[in-house]
Amino acid sequence: MSNENHENNVNTVNNANHENDEELTVVHVMRHGEVENPTGVLYGRLPGYHLSELGRRMAERVAEHLEPRDVTYVVASPLERAQETATPIAKTHGLDLGTDRRLIEAANVFQGKTFGIGDGALRRPANWKHVVNPFRPSWGEPYVDQVVRMKGAIDAARDRARGHEAVVVSHQLPIWILRSYVERRRLWHDPRKRQCTLASLTTFTYRGDRIVSVGYTEPARDLVPAHLLAGAKPVKGQGKAYGA
């Protein structure tokens, strides 16, 4: 499957008949809350990065937002920040928290490095070879691979929550790539324009095995620092860890 033809494949994914073909299932895919990251590195898949105090407040806010919903399954990326974000949601609904490695952050060669404006890894000529192909992308995990694993993960959550709702906690870039695929947009993009802010919910509604709608909400928007909102202009010294 190539980037060029991913739009043509969306209608053929999981269109097998199901005995409850008219049954609606909702899968909320949540981005984790703010992370404690005083050095401003792109932490990627590195262990040891936990939610900040503000991030924990974001997680609690979304748990409150989802409390009235018919959530029967909660699962998260294995990274600490995702697990900590999902925990209050699972607790609110009296559920055990599942883990799915397919929900992990995208691999990135700049992991562990700073990536700010004027002070990051791109100032070093040795790193320029990693940015020659934004369509794949050349600096990390191919977009198509992210689609495959994320679609598999949310389909699995759908199966666990048939006729009800599931909450899946992942990371910005894989969530945005999944949504772009489902909405038939190109996968390469400007990271500053991702509509996937901290603690946001990208919601996929299934009828049977087929996604019939995509929604987006920001229950903790008032807690998100202005420079981290979608479309915000990056500020020197406050480099965004895109895809975090």
Side-chain angles (χ1 to χ4, degrees):
M1 180 168 59
S2 67
N3 286 355
E4 290 78 7
N5 68 13
H6 79 276
E7 296 94 341
N8 298 325
N9 293 329
V10 68
N11 290 326
T12 64
V13 176
N14 288 323
N15 62 357
N17 290 329
H18 187 274
E19 62 181 358
N20 296 317
D21 193 48
E22 296 304 308
E23 188 173 56
L24 292 180
T25 306
V26 176
V27 179
H28 304 282
V29 184
M30 181 181 177
R31 184 184 173 195
H32 61 79
E34 186 191 57
V35 175
E36 189 68 35
N37 183 20
T39 58
V41 302
L42 185 87
Y43 34 79
R45 296 179 175 180
L46 293 174
Y49 282 87
H50 298 267
L51 292 183
S52 64
E53 178 58 35
L54 178 58
R56 289 190 287 274
R57 288 170 56 199
M58 291 176 180
E60 293 288 350
R61 171 72 64 79
V62 178
E64 293 171 3
H65 172 77
L66 292 171
E67 184 174 7
R69 309 292 298 199
D70 183 25
V71 175
T72 61
Y73 182 62
V74 182
V75 64
S77 154
L79 296 174
E80 292 99 331
R81 57 193 185 270
Q83 293 279 312
E84 292 165 0
T85 298
T87 294
I89 300 171
K91 182 177 179 181
T92 294
H93 292 275
L95 300 169
D96 292 331
L97 173 60
T99 300
D100 190 332
R101 187 167 177 80
R102 291 175 293 186
L103 298 170
I104 201 167
E105 174 62 289
N108 194 311
V109 297
F110 296 112
Q111 176 176 287
K113 301 176 182 178
T114 56
F115 211 79
I117 302 302
D119 60 356
L122 290 182
R123 295 186 64 185
R124 304 180 184 90
N127 289 329
W128 293 351
K129 64 179 180 289
H130 296 303
V131 295
V132 297
N133 183 2
F135 305 103
R136 184 179 185 268
S138 52
W139 55 83
E141 181 183 10
Y143 292 137
V144 170
D145 290 357
Q146 295 178 53
V147 168
V148 170
R149 64 177 174 85
M150 289 292 291
K151 186 63 166 55
I154 69 165
D155 284 350
R158 171 208 63 200
D159 291 342
R160 292 290 299 268
R162 287 273 183 190
H164 304 280
E165 301 187 22
V167 178
V168 171
V169 181
S170 186
H171 308 267
Q172 187 192 58
L173 178 56
I175 296 171
W176 181 248
I177 292 301
L178 172 66
R179 179 179 172 184
S180 296
Y181 170 78
V182 171
E183 294 184 329
R184 305 184 184 188
R185 289 193 302 272
R186 68 191 184 203
L187 301 184
W188 59 272
H189 60 283
D190 181 344
R192 296 168 297 182
K193 297 181 179 180
R194 294 174 190 157
Q195 189 183 42
C196 188
T197 196
L198 291 165
S200 61
L201 297 171
T202 301
T203 300
F204 299 88
T205 299
Y206 287 81
R207 184 178 296 279
D209 288 349
R210 183 170 59 92
I211 295 173
V212 294
S213 70
V214 180
Y216 177 80
T217 54
E218 298 177 350
R221 182 181 176 85
D222 61 303
L223 299 178
V224 179
H227 72 281
L228 294 179
L229 291 169
K233 184 178 180 180
V235 177
K236 187 173 181 178
Q238 291 183 313
K240 287 186 180 181
Y242 291 121

